[in-house]
Every structure is written in structure tokens, then in C-alpha cells.
Amino acid sequence: MTLSLRLREHARYRPAKAAIIEPGRSIDYRQLDRMVDFSCHALRSKGIERGQLVGLSLRDRAEYLVMLLAMSRLGAVVLPLDPRWANAETRRVCDNFGATCVVCDRASADPAWLVLGDTDFGESSSRYDDAEVGLHSPMLLSLSSGTTGAPSGPLTTQGKFIERFTVFWIDLGLGADDRFLTATPLYFGGGRAFALAMIYAGGSSLLLCPPYETEQLASFVNEQRATATFLVPTILTRLLAIAPDDKMLLPTMRVLISSGAALYAAEQREIRRKLSTNLFQYYSSTEGGGCSLLRPEEFSGHPDSVGRPCFGVAVEVVDEQHHPLPPGRIGRVRYRSSASADHYFKGDGSAAFHDGFFYPGDIGEFDADGFLYLRGRSTDMIIRGGVNIYPSDVESVVLSYPGIVEASAVAVPSQEFGEEVALAFVARGEIEIAALRAHCAAVLARFKIPRYFLPFHELPKAGVGKVDRKNVAATVIARIAGEVRR
């Protein structure tokens, strides 16, 4: 059953139950169903049709979920866009994928963008249905880095998207009685999937998306008696800083999911001691969905593992010839399931897919008991606070600054965010760092602006003349550490 039909069912059998709750507002299932119908009619009146690829760049609020559900009911294909991006970034991504329209809630000079205000959302007494829309219909195109750093992404059908919910039900035990808090941006895969999964199940989807104070997050969880949530390690670390020593900070939390970056064993112990004992480590990706899960009861015996494969997921560690390796041997991680993508909509994904498997770019090994351990990443992706940053996005902006002849954006360790962006560059003549930073700030989203700018006489090169990113990163990390010691 599609998201649209499941929502119809809930509106009929549990009309007064809260479907979406955000600070100062609650929307029941009857209201939500009518709001989705209203948005469907509004989108059609503006020329959006079934099968059309439409950019979605809305702030994190209930209307974002309404619009996702409306496009699902309408049969339009969603291209999620980060509302924090500069207009030029948004246009570049839309042009790359061929999206001719963007639905947004901010002023824009681009005539192709539909700017929605409060009057564009309401409740309709007129149903909207399309018999041509089903589980086979394309639903969403998620951005990912692929293997080259160039924009690419898998096109997910409605059926595949719903298949991802299976792991939530079977492995995490989520259901209609849960009150799931989404505390990450809805543009990102985790926040979006869990929020829609709760609506599909008939539960309550709670929204408190950034920015917020850490104390506000903890208060909202406890006031709303949230039973489950998905948080990136950065937020978990901030919650630890305000947690008391004599009681759990999140006592109502039955399922506390961490994903987006690895948690060290010591951090996991503190989270289980001060936030909730019910911590799940969830290893997943945009392209493949859930891969593996470390349950609370498994932590003591396997604290450094990302768990066993999720329900219905085949996970392998293979060599460079794609041959499966036995336990104890380190190789490339790959996995597949009925929810996994098998190709990119656009972009070079030749190295990311093989024999129906998706290769997330990680290196790992299995132990004899079937637990997966990650040993590193083979890609150049920078993951800051669980957010993917493409180095090429940063480098292209820096190289447009007068006098810059080479640039390489790399990840450096960060206690707060897991990783930060550092920029190594070669310039012709003197470059004022403050001016270069301002140039980046004028074009890039805030979280993409490098934390460190380090001038080089020449960037290290590999044998074929390409910049040796691994060498660059090692040199940058050493220089930063040296400056800290001084």
C-alpha cells in the first residue's frame, strides 16, 4: 500500500490521533489527509504533473511532510534540496538532474521557483486521487556523492522507499504506539525516512528540527514522552554535556538510534549511562538503506562493531575482484536488499554498484559471530556532524577566488562534529585568509565553509600527477596539531 493510501486508511480509522506534532501545534490524521489533498490540487493548478521531477526546498516544519506526502499522492518525483544552500548551489543541482521547478518558501528571483506562503497550505474537502500512482511509481531522488564527488543520486520508487520501513518495524520494533522525534533536517535521508515511516505506521511524528538549544531538545523529548528518535553523534555529545549524573536524561526513550558517523566505545558507554540504555548503532546509506544494526544487548561483547546485518539485507566484505572474504579478512563492504538502489539516476556510479550490490566506500571485516567492523573509508567524503560534504563543492568555490591555483578540501578530526573541513591551497602571491573565508561564506552554505585555511607552496601529488588527498590530509592534520601545541 502506498503512503497515500495508508494515510487515507489512518484518516478513516484513527482520525483524531496526532499524526504530526511540533512546538505549539498538533495535526491529526483527518487534518493531515485533507492538507495533502489541498496541496495536491494547489500543485496541479501550478502545472506540476505526475512523473515530473520537482525540487523541494522548504524549512523544517509540518508543511515539509505535507508536501512530501502530496507529491507522493500526485505522483511527482521529489528532488530534496537543502534550504540552507545559496541560490547558485540550488540551481546547479537542479540543472544537473533536470529539475525544471523548485517548491520553496523563501523569496527568489528565479521565475521557475514556486514560492509558497501560508495561504498555499490548507484543508480540502475535495479528494485527490490518481489510479496511475502505485508502488512502481518513482518517488524520490536522493543526493549522494557517488564515487567521484560529483552530484549523483539513486531514484527510489514508492515501493522501495516503503521497503526501507521493514527494518524499522522488525529490527527496531517501531510501530503505531510510538512517538518518534525527528530532530535532524528533513532534507536528510534519516530524518525524512523515519518521519514518514511513523505516518505510514499510524504513529505520531514529532518535529523539532535545527536550530535548537540542547536543553530545548531534552525538554521537548520529555514533555512529549517521545519513545524513539534518530540523532547524529554530534547531538548525542551535546546532550551528554547537560545530562545529570544521578538519572537518565531521556527516560522515556525506548529506541535511541545513532547514525551518520561512528561512535567510539567510550562515548557509547556514557550515552547508555546518562541518556538511555536503549542505544542502537545503525549503519546505513542514502543508496542502500539500512545495512547493519548493533542492539543494546550486543554492545558489551562487541563495543567497536556496527552490528549484524539488518533484516533482509545481504552484506559482504570483498576483495578488489569482488570475491567474498572470510571472517577476519579486511576488504570492501558491499550490501543489497529489496530496498537498495542498483544504479545512480545521474553521475558515474560504476565503482559504487556491482552485481546488484552497493559499495558505500567503507572498508571493514566480519568476525566469526557475524558482527561487522568498519576499518576506514575509501572515499574522500567529508562527514561533518553526520552531514555529507562534497570536497569538489568547496574546491570549485575556492578556485574561483583570484590568485588561487590549487585547492584540496579534506576532513580533519573534530571532537564536536566528528570531522571538520580543512582547505589546503596554493596561491599566486599573498592571499588574505579573512577575504578568502568571506568569499566562501558568500557562496557556500555555512556548514561547508572550511574551518581551517592552510597555504601550501605545492600540494602533494600522486604518481599520475593528481593531488594525493591522503597525503594532503595527513600534512594538514599534522600542521593543525603543531599550531595547537604552540
Side-chain angles (χ1 to χ4, degrees):
M1 184 176 286
T2 64
L3 272 167
S4 175
L5 292 177
R6 188 67 71 185
L7 175 57
R8 291 274 194 230
E9 184 180 76
H10 296 324
R12 179 181 179 185
Y13 296 117
R14 53 189 68 174
K17 181 174 181 177
I20 303 174
I21 300 171
E22 57 186 359
R25 185 184 186 192
S26 179
I27 300 172
D28 64 36
Y29 274 101
R30 180 191 289 111
Q31 291 174 295
L32 179 59
D33 189 46
R34 291 175 177 174
M35 290 174 73
V36 170
D37 278 333
F38 185 96
S39 293
C40 284
H41 289 295
L43 291 172
R44 283 293 293 118
S45 70
K46 296 176 186 294
I48 294 177
E49 301 177 347
R50 181 193 336 120
Q52 183 177 349
L53 181 62
V54 180
L56 184 60
S57 180
L58 298 179
R59 289 171 292 162
D60 296 315
R61 52 180 183 149
E63 280 73 15
Y64 193 109
L65 294 182
V66 170
M67 193 57 61
L68 278 175
L69 291 163
M71 290 196 185
S72 171
R73 182 168 288 177
L74 182 67
V77 185
V78 177
L79 174 63
L81 303 167
D82 192 335
R84 298 174 297 176
W85 286 347
N87 284 355
E89 292 180 279
T90 299
R91 291 191 188 98
R92 184 171 66 250
V93 172
C94 288
D95 290 345
N96 180 75
F97 288 104
T100 57
C101 177
V102 174
V103 174
C104 62
D105 51 12
R106 66 179 189 272
S108 168
D110 195 320
W113 294 9
L114 300 180
V115 181
L116 303 182
D118 291 339
T119 57
D120 291 300
F121 295 95
E123 295 182 40
S124 175
S125 58
S126 174
R127 288 169 59 107
Y128 186 95
D129 292 299
D130 187 336
E132 297 297 319
V133 178
L135 295 175
H136 61 281
S137 302
M139 175 180 170
L140 188 130
L141 200 160
S142 297
L143 292 185
S144 58
S145 67
T147 57
T148 64
S152 55
L155 181 62
T156 305
T157 64
Q158 299 209 21
K160 275 187 176 290
F161 194 84
I162 294 169
E163 281 285 344
R164 299 191 176 194
F165 300 166
T166 304
V167 171
F168 305 162
W169 314 147
I170 294 179
D171 283 335
L172 294 169
L174 299 177
D177 293 331
D178 279 299
R179 298 168 64 84
F180 192 100
L181 171 65
T182 295
T184 56
L186 292 169
Y187 155 72
F188 301 119
R192 181 175 61 238
F194 280 110
L196 290 178
M198 289 314 301
I199 292 173
Y200 191 82
S204 295
S205 190
L206 282 57
L207 299 181
L208 183 69
C209 297
Y212 49 72
E213 297 297 328
T214 308
E215 292 82 1
Q216 182 186 5
L217 172 61
S219 296
F220 191 70
V221 167
N222 294 324
E223 289 170 4
Q224 294 295 332
R225 306 182 313 283
T227 61
T229 191
F230 154 69
L231 298 174
V232 297
T234 301
I235 302 301
L236 291 169
T237 301
R238 291 175 182 173
L239 287 170
L240 281 175
I242 67 168
D245 286 323
D246 57 343
K247 62 179 181 179
M248 290 288 183
L249 181 66
L250 310 176
T252 65
M253 198 61 61
R254 188 179 63 81
V255 178
L256 176 58
I257 305 161
S258 174
S259 189
L263 279 174
Y264 294 110
E267 294 174 312
Q268 293 191 56
R269 290 190 187 94
E270 281 296 282
I271 291 169
R272 296 172 196 278
R273 185 175 72 86
K274 300 178 72 173
L275 302 185
S276 171
T277 59
N278 304 312
L279 176 66
F280 291 77
Q281 275 270 70
Y282 186 43
Y283 173 42
S284 64
S285 71
T286 298
E287 294 90 341
C291 178
S292 66
L293 188 73
L294 184 69
R295 302 168 183 273
E297 65 273 15
E298 297 169 332
F299 169 73
S300 60
H302 307 272
D304 297 317
S305 172
V306 290
R308 289 187 170 109
C310 295
F311 176 83
V313 182
V315 185
E316 296 179 347
V317 173
V318 300
D319 61 20
E320 291 302 315
Q321 288 71 46
H322 310 286
H323 299 142
L325 295 171
R329 293 279 302 279
I330 296 176
R332 301 167 66 192
V333 177
R334 71 178 189 178
Y335 69 106
R336 67 181 177 190
S337 72
S338 58
S340 299
D342 55 13
H343 68 283
Y344 284 130
F345 178 70
K346 290 195 70 173
D348 180 14
S350 58
F353 299 96
H354 185 80
D355 288 342
F357 283 88
F358 169 65
Y359 291 66
D362 293 314
I363 299 170
E365 65 178 306
F366 276 107
D367 67 12
D369 296 321
F371 285 85
L372 179 64
Y373 295 78
L374 299 183
R375 301 307 187 196
R377 293 211 319 278
S378 59
T379 61
D380 299 320
M381 177 68 69
I382 302 168
I383 304 179
R384 182 185 185 274
V387 180
N388 290 348
I389 299 173
Y390 313 143
S392 59
D393 282 356
V394 180
E395 292 159 1
S396 63
V397 171
V398 173
L399 288 169
S400 69
Y401 189 81
I404 301 293
V405 294
E406 282 189 306
S408 179
V410 297
V412 295
S414 165
Q415 185 173 357
E416 182 179 12
F417 295 105
E419 291 181 347
E420 276 280 9
V421 182
L423 182 82
F425 68 92
V426 177
R428 188 184 303 108
E430 292 293 324
I431 293 292
E432 185 179 349
I433 299 298
L436 179 56
R437 188 188 300 275
H439 172 74
C440 292
V443 182
L444 293 170
R446 185 175 179 181
F447 64 89
K448 295 183 182 179
I449 301 171
R451 172 70 174 81
Y452 305 97
F453 291 78
L454 295 98
F456 279 65
H457 292 298
E458 183 180 359
L459 295 183
K461 302 294 195 302
V464 293
K466 292 184 178 180
V467 173
D468 185 348
R469 288 183 180 273
K470 187 176 181 179
N471 197 336
V472 170
T475 305
V476 165
I477 291 170
R479 284 179 56 174
I480 292 172
E483 291 175 6
V484 171
R485 284 195 295 271
R486 288 198 298 268

